[in-house]
Amino acid sequence: MTGSLEKTHYLRENFNFFILNAMDDWVRIIDDRGEVAFVNDALIDALDKSETLKTYLDDNIDLLLSNSNEVVKTTTMIEEKLIDGKYYSIKTSPIFYDGDFAGTIEVYRDITSESILKIDLYNANKDMIDDLRFVRRIQASILPKNKTYGKLKISGIYNPSEKVSGDIYDLIKIDENRSAFYIADVMGHGVKASIMTMFLKVSMSAIFDKHPDYSPSQVFLNLRKKFTKLEIDSSQYFTAWLGIFDFRDNSLVFANAGHNCPPLIYRQSEKIADYLLVSGRMISNIIEADKYKEKTLKLEENDKILFFTDGTIEAKNENGKEYGLERLREEFSKKGDIQALYQNIRDFNWQQMADDLTLALIEYGGNDEN
């Protein structure tokens, strides 16, 4: 008992209580017997106004100094509590006298404003995430369904690196004999890029609706005019590849607007995939448009064309090596199947995807199911 009294005397005589009394935080010191050795002025004032606080503090002494709670005698603890309608951060630290545990000092800091801000930020972030999920569902819904459209059978895989994507592909029926297919990759990620994909879908459909006889080159030039009229940030741009299928002569006319992921065509007769290469500038406010070059290709029954964006070839293994164009071509030549190819890319990839990954496969020569 004498030892405990000495510790209590030590606590009362050796603390600079005038400093603690100057604090806005609540402070109290409890000796090793559970007796309150000190309460600062701010806490005294609060106790005079709240029976709830007094009850909480009395109960907390029993909790702190129970025989089973040895951690409080060796460790500083920080917790947050709701007391009398306000949030407090409570820091409890042990006090030692001649190497022995002498008691604890508690500091109660009002963090109501910070906690409310956290809650507000959490709710705002939750709302934003809900909005992004909604946008993602809308984006996924505007992509063509995996099915057969006349002579074109489409299979697609859409995997944004974030909640929403800057990738888009679409099939547009021009008339009974022709259909257009494009794939585009908007610079950047997130909401800004996703809104641009909506612009692309609406604009491409409008161009073909108004000018059904336009060639791919003319479509890109018209699309650039629509894009520049938006008067958006000059750093914004997108790339695209566009092909028009003519079922009367089984031809494909295509052009490229800076899309550095040339589609791969797999011919059943040759058992190998090759690139559909053609040059052309990206669509941007700062790069002048020119006449996009076009190429024409004759299609055969069961030809497969793989469309993709750069997130596909930028997947990295454990050594940081990229999947790459040639690996994609080789694997597509072996398998000719979009699901098997996607699984191969996922098995290769060891890192979080830095870019959106989009794959679309067109198989030529399907039966009309429209």
Side-chain angles (χ1 to χ4, degrees):
M1 179 66 70
T2 303
S4 293
L5 290 174
E6 288 179 356
K7 293 174 187 175
T8 301
H9 178 74
Y10 168 80
L11 292 175
R12 290 176 175 165
E13 293 297 324
N14 289 277
F15 274 83
N16 293 318
F17 292 140
F18 72 92
I19 297 176
L20 300 182
N21 279 325
M23 295 174 62
D24 292 329
D25 299 335
W26 300 342
V27 181
R28 74 169 178 172
I29 297 173
I30 304 165
D31 66 22
D32 62 337
R33 298 172 301 157
E35 299 291 334
V36 177
F38 172 78
V39 177
N40 78 338
D41 291 344
L43 182 52
I44 291 172
D45 184 59
L47 286 167
D48 288 341
K49 299 174 182 177
S50 174
E51 284 297 322
T52 303
L53 175 60
K54 185 177 185 305
T55 301
Y56 173 82
L57 291 178
D58 289 344
D59 292 343
N60 202 42
I61 290 176
D62 296 334
L63 179 65
L64 284 172
L65 299 179
S66 65
N67 292 331
S68 60
N69 192 7
E70 290 297 320
V71 69
V72 74
K73 300 177 182 180
T74 57
T75 308
T76 295
M77 300 185 300
I78 300 176
E79 59 180 336
E80 293 184 9
K81 292 285 186 181
L82 181 63
I83 305 173
D84 221 11
K86 290 188 175 183
Y87 293 95
Y88 291 87
S89 172
I90 307 170
K91 186 173 184 178
T92 305
S93 301
I95 301 170
F96 294 94
Y97 172 67
D98 283 346
D100 295 326
F101 174 73
T104 60
I105 181 170
E106 296 177 305
V107 179
Y108 292 71
R109 174 158 295 175
D110 187 348
I111 58 168
T112 304
S113 297
E114 294 93 325
S115 296
I116 291 174
L117 179 60
K118 286 181 184 178
I119 294 169
D120 289 344
L121 287 173
Y122 171 82
N123 290 333
N125 188 53
K126 182 178 181 298
D127 289 343
M128 183 177 68
I129 290 173
D130 289 343
D131 289 346
L132 288 174
R133 286 172 178 163
F134 175 76
V135 172
R136 181 174 181 172
R137 287 196 297 270
I138 294 297
Q139 276 195 300
S141 71
I142 67 174
L143 299 175
K145 300 294 185 291
N146 292 347
K147 67 173 193 175
T148 300
Y149 302 83
K151 283 192 170 185
L152 305 177
K153 182 181 179 181
I154 294 182
S155 305
I157 293 172
Y158 167 79
N159 187 9
S161 62
E162 299 185 359
K163 294 292 186 296
V164 290
S165 173
D167 290 354
I168 186 173
Y169 62 89
D170 198 11
L171 179 71
I172 301 172
K173 184 177 180 179
I174 302 171
D175 54 38
E176 293 302 319
N177 299 310
R178 295 176 302 146
S179 289
F181 182 89
Y182 68 88
I183 186 167
D185 186 355
V186 178
M187 184 276 294
H189 314 285
V191 174
K192 187 176 179 180
S194 72
I195 291 174
M196 186 58 62
T197 65
M198 305 296 182
F199 161 80
L200 279 168
K201 182 175 177 66
V202 172
S203 297
M204 292 292 275
S205 296
I207 292 170
F208 278 109
D209 185 57
K210 188 174 181 180
H211 306 284
D213 295 325
Y214 266 10
S215 69
S217 175
Q218 291 171 309
V219 171
F220 279 149
L221 289 170
N222 193 289
L223 180 61
R224 185 184 183 280
K225 287 181 181 179
K226 290 180 177 292
F227 177 70
T228 55
K229 285 180 181 178
L230 295 177
E231 297 182 347
I232 59 176
D233 191 329
S234 61
S235 65
Q236 189 71 41
Y237 66 87
F238 60 89
T239 67
W241 188 100
L242 168 65
I244 297 177
F245 294 87
D246 192 327
F247 309 124
R248 292 169 298 188
D249 60 359
N250 296 319
S251 65
L252 171 64
V253 181
F254 57 93
N256 186 357
H259 197 63
N260 64 347
C261 298
L264 287 162
I265 183 168
Y266 177 85
R267 293 192 182 279
Q268 194 70 30
S269 58
E270 300 174 5
K271 305 292 185 184
I272 192 168
D274 206 357
Y275 302 108
L276 295 181
L277 294 170
V278 62
S279 61
R281 295 178 176 178
M282 69 180 69
I283 295 178
S284 164
N285 287 330
I286 59 176
I287 297 178
E288 290 297 324
D290 58 5
K291 180 175 172 55
Y292 291 91
K293 294 180 181 180
E294 296 176 354
K295 285 188 178 180
T296 302
L297 177 73
K298 288 293 183 179
L299 295 171
E300 301 173 2
E301 192 82 7
N302 298 320
D303 279 351
K304 296 179 180 181
I305 305 177
L306 179 71
F307 302 89
F308 56 98
T309 56
D310 52 12
T312 303
I313 57 176
E314 290 173 358
K316 295 180 181 179
N317 65 10
E318 68 272 26
N319 298 317
K321 185 176 181 180
E322 291 189 346
Y323 192 81
L325 274 171
E326 272 306 295
R327 189 187 305 272
L328 184 72
R329 187 183 70 83
E330 290 170 7
E331 291 299 324
F332 184 53
S333 296
K334 292 175 188 175
K335 298 175 173 64
D337 177 80
I338 191 171
Q339 290 296 337
L341 183 62
Y342 178 58
Q343 187 60 51
N344 186 264
I345 295 168
R346 291 190 63 180
D347 291 343
F348 179 88
N349 184 62
W350 276 59
Q351 303 179 25
Q352 182 176 353
M353 298 298 292
D355 203 354
D356 308 318
L357 189 157
T358 301
L359 293 166
L361 181 70
I362 288 184
E363 299 178 59
Y364 190 76
N367 296 320
D368 192 345
E369 296 180 4
N370 286 335

